[in-house]
Every structure is written in structure tokens, then in C-alpha cells.
Amino acid sequence: MTDRLAAQIAFLTEADKLKSVYRATKVLDGHRHEDSGSHSWHIALYAMILAEHAKTPVNIDRVIKMLLIHDLVEIDVGDSPIHGDHDIAAMEAAEAKAADRIFGLLPDDQRDAFRALWDEFEAAESDDAVFAKSIDRVQPVIGNLETNGGTWPEYNVTAQQLEDRVGWKVAKGAPAIWEHLRQRIADWFARST
Amino acid sequence: MTDRLAAQIAFLTEADKLKSVYRATKVLDGHRHEDSGSHSWHIALYAMILAEHAKTPVNIDRVIKMLLIHDLVEIDVGDSPIHGDHDIAAMEAAEAKAADRIFGLLPDDQRDAFRALWDEFEAAESDDAVFAKSIDRVQPVIGNLETNGGTWPEYNVTAQQLEDRVGWKVAKGAPAIWEHLRQRIADWFARST
Ligand SMILES: [Ca+2]
């Protein structure tokens, strides 16, 4: 029992480092960049509140757990802004290695269970994972809309790029949400250009 | 649908402010104070990993949801360090008012469901709430143990005070965890005094 608890506490202590991984986006009041710990909390809350809009009914409890762990690999590899350029294969290999290390801190049964959940999220094929990915993608869009475009001007993002890079991913898991946002995005770009 | 979605997005946007509420504790690497958004993520993760140690079997999915929303009232009232002095009745009244406002942003059915879950957490009587409270209490203790006493010296905390203020609350919901920590706490105070 004590060994098991010590392993669990070691994992939870390591997880604390996600609070020191910063994202390209800022918290909405703009006073600092958002950390991936806060981000993980916020999108778990997003999923909880928006579950009814999933294209296919999901097991929201699994989705929430998936989102609570989905960014832990960033402790080793950092956050990759979706509008940047990356070597996808190299990034995926680095993330898998990080998952080995971080989930490997847990007792074997939990290591396997949560690694499987993370793999499912990454594969983005199950209904739960597709919805989880939609939610992960939609939160920065809403954040940008709420802060006069947020990081869009900085990255020279266009409405068409949002459609191509984010829209279809959100629509795949939560079409009603993207439908709602598409109109708000069109309005924002019409006003700002 | 659009009105409902707009209300849900307004709630989620308001929730972002929890990332700007800071706690007395620091993130473990010490570079900043912990915000209540990150904290909420971390203890939801704690509950998920430590559920097996609950004194009475809990519905971990309910516990996680409870922990995701438990600190939202701090957007209006801030965080109250457990080692400070407070007018408890005034604080509870202010928190209830904050809960009215914040959960009130949601569509009525969700407002009622999540307000009930928050009330249950605050009442600390159901098995799920007792375990959730235990987890909320134990995370700063572990954080302090992992950072050479953390905020204990600053607040002149003694091992007996930890037992009186935190220990019985943790033990009520998760006795095995407190048993494990009590020994580590005794060792730390023996070394540091
Ligand atoms: Ca993410």
C-alpha cells in the first residue's frame, strides 16, 4: 500500500510541472500566458458543460478524464501552437517518449489504463476522443473571439485558415458549436479588415 | 439552441477568471503562486488517481465534477488560506452569493444541477463530498512536503496544527493517505526544528 501510494504521489508531484508550461494564448484578462494546467481544467469544464452538443453521444466521464491527462506530455515536450510549423513525426515520437516516462511513474495498472486513454485521445478515432479533440480545439477560438481576435493578428490568421485548421476538427465532434462560432468569426473578420 | 449555447459560452468565459485568482501556495518549482484554475485541475487529477483510497467507495465521476467547479466562487471572493483567520459566516454568505451569480450564467437546468453539486461539496456530508474535501485538503500538504515545508515556516505551522486543522479532514475521507503523510510530516518537523 505504501509503495503504491508513494508511486501515485510521485506522479501527482511530477504533474505539478504542467503549471509551468506556458501556451501561446493568454488568459482572457491578458495579464499572463495561459499555463497548460489551467488550460486542462478549463477544457474539462468546457466538455462537462457542452457535452450535449457532441455529434454522437459520448461518455462524458471518460472524456473529462481524457482531457485531464491529455497535456501531461507537454511537461517534457512543451506546447506546440497550432498555427506554427512542426515536424509532426518527430513531435509524435517525442510525445510518446514523454508518455512512457510520465505515465510510467504510476503503479502498473494505472500506468496502462491512463496510457491507453491518452493513446485513444491521440488517435482521435473513438467518439469520446473526437469530441475531446473538438473541445480542445474550440477553447482558444472562443478565447480569441472574447478578446478582440487575441493571437489571430499576431499569427496573421484568416477566417479561411480557421475553417481549414480548426473548423473541421471542431465540426467533426461538435457541429452545432462550430456552426455557432462560424458566424461570430465571420462577423469579427468583417469588422477587423 | 443558439441562446443556450451563448449562455454556456458566457459561463465558460467567466470561468476563465479563475486563472487570475492566486493562492497562498506556490507551484512546486516556486516561480509563481498557484492559480485556482491550475489547482482545480490538479486536485481533479489527484481524485482520479487516489480514488481507491477513499474510506467509503465513491462515485469518482461525481467527485471529479465537484472538484472542477468547487473553486469557481473564488472569482468573486478570492481564496481563503486555511491558516488565516476569517469570519466564517460572512465568508459563507459571500460564497453563496457568488455561486448564485456564477452558476446563474448557465441555462436553468445546468444552473440547478451544478449549484446542487457545489452545495453538496460545501455541506461535506455525502461520501463523495467528504472524499472531495479530503483531496482538496491533502494537495497543499503534499506540496509543502515536496518543497521543504513550503509555506509552513511562513505561517509558523506546527505538526499538531496540521493534525488539528487538516489531518482529521483528510482522514475522514481518505484515512490511508493521512496515515502515510503523518509519518512524512513527523519526519519533516523532526528534521527542521
Ligand atoms: Ca491541449
Side-chain angles (χ1 to χ4, degrees):
Chain A
M1 171 64 86
T2 279
D3 279 0
R4 186 169 172 86
L5 203 37
Q8 291 167 328
I9 290 174
F11 169 81
L12 292 167
T13 298
E14 181 69 18
D16 197 88
K17 294 179 182 169
L18 200 58
K19 300 168 189 169
S20 305
V21 173
Y22 290 98
R23 297 163 53 82
T25 48
K26 290 189 171 174
V27 302
L28 294 189
D29 70 16
H31 87 287
R32 68 170 172 101
H33 282 270
E34 185 179 34
D35 64 284
S36 290
S38 291
H39 165 75
S40 296
W41 163 72
H42 206 184
I43 60 170
L45 193 68
Y46 260 72
M48 186 169 94
I49 297 298
L50 299 175
E52 68 194 74
H53 305 294
K55 184 177 186 181
T56 312
V58 292
N59 180 334
I60 188 58
D61 300 319
R62 292 189 78 242
V63 171
I64 290 172
K65 287 175 181 160
M66 216 178 257
L67 289 172
L68 289 175
I69 62 163
H70 85 291
D71 268 344
L72 283 172
V73 295
E74 293 182 2
I75 290 170
D76 288 354
V77 303
D79 176 54
S80 310
I82 54 166
H83 301 298
D85 289 318
H86 305 282
D87 177 340
I88 305 272
M91 200 174 73
E92 284 181 355
E95 288 184 349
K97 197 174 156 199
D100 287 346
R101 183 185 77 75
I102 295 164
F103 294 116
L105 295 169
L106 286 166
D108 291 359
D109 60 319
Q110 290 189 318
R111 174 199 64 201
D112 294 346
F114 291 113
R115 175 58 189 265
L117 200 60
W118 181 80
D119 284 338
E120 182 181 334
F121 175 81
E122 288 295 307
E125 287 169 0
S126 72
D127 291 339
D128 290 351
V130 168
F131 181 65
K133 286 265 180 189
S134 292
I135 291 298
D136 192 31
R137 291 305 190 190
V138 85
Q139 184 251 359
V141 175
I142 290 173
N144 283 330
L145 280 169
E146 296 286 340
T147 55
N148 193 29
T151 55
W152 292 336
E154 183 185 340
Y155 286 91
N156 295 311
V157 175
T158 65
Q160 189 59 49
Q161 283 174 337
L162 286 173
E163 195 65 46
D164 295 345
R165 295 178 184 176
V166 186
W168 68 273
K169 288 181 185 169
V170 174
K172 200 174 164 195
I177 298 177
W178 189 249
E179 199 52 47
H180 175 86
L181 293 177
R182 181 185 282 129
Q183 188 57 52
R184 290 187 60 187
I185 290 167
D187 291 348
W188 185 84
F189 279 98
R191 274 198 317 275
S192 72
T193 49
Chain B
M1 170 61 90
T2 279
D3 280 359
R4 187 170 171 85
L5 203 39
Q8 291 167 328
I9 289 174
F11 170 82
L12 292 167
T13 297
E14 182 68 19
D16 196 88
K17 295 179 181 168
L18 200 58
K19 301 168 189 170
S20 304
V21 174
Y22 290 98
R23 298 163 52 82
T25 47
K26 290 189 172 173
V27 301
L28 295 189
D29 70 17
H31 86 287
R32 67 169 172 105
H33 282 271
E34 185 179 33
D35 64 285
S36 289
S38 291
H39 165 74
S40 296
W41 163 73
H42 206 184
I43 61 170
L45 193 69
Y46 260 72
M48 185 170 95
I49 297 298
L50 299 175
E52 68 193 73
H53 305 294
K55 184 177 184 181
T56 311
V58 291
N59 180 334
I60 187 58
D61 300 319
R62 291 189 78 244
V63 171
I64 289 172
K65 286 174 182 160
M66 217 179 257
L67 290 172
L68 289 176
I69 63 164
H70 85 292
D71 268 344
L72 284 172
V73 294
E74 293 182 1
I75 289 170
D76 287 354
V77 303
D79 177 54
S80 310
I82 54 168
H83 300 300
D85 291 319
H86 306 282
D87 179 340
I88 305 272
M91 201 174 73
E92 285 181 353
E95 288 183 349
K97 199 175 154 197
D100 287 345
R101 184 186 75 76
I102 295 163
F103 293 116
L105 295 170
L106 286 166
D108 292 359
D109 60 318
Q110 289 189 319
R111 174 198 65 202
D112 295 345
F114 291 114
R115 175 57 187 266
L117 200 61
W118 182 78
D119 285 338
E120 181 181 334
F121 176 80
E122 287 296 305
E125 286 168 1
S126 71
D127 291 339
D128 290 350
V130 168
F131 180 65
K133 285 266 179 189
S134 293
I135 290 299
D136 191 31
R137 291 305 189 190
V138 85
Q139 184 250 358
V141 175
I142 291 173
N144 282 330
L145 280 169
E146 296 285 341
T147 54
N148 193 30
T151 56
W152 292 336
E154 182 184 340
Y155 286 92
N156 294 311
V157 175
T158 66
Q160 189 58 49
Q161 283 174 337
L162 286 174
E163 194 65 45
D164 295 345
R165 295 179 184 175
V166 186
W168 68 273
K169 288 181 184 168
V170 175
K172 200 174 164 197
I177 297 177
W178 189 249
E179 199 52 48
H180 175 85
L181 293 178
R182 181 186 281 128
Q183 188 57 53
R184 289 186 60 185
I185 290 167
D187 291 348
W188 186 84
F189 279 97
R191 274 198 318 273
S192 72
T193 49

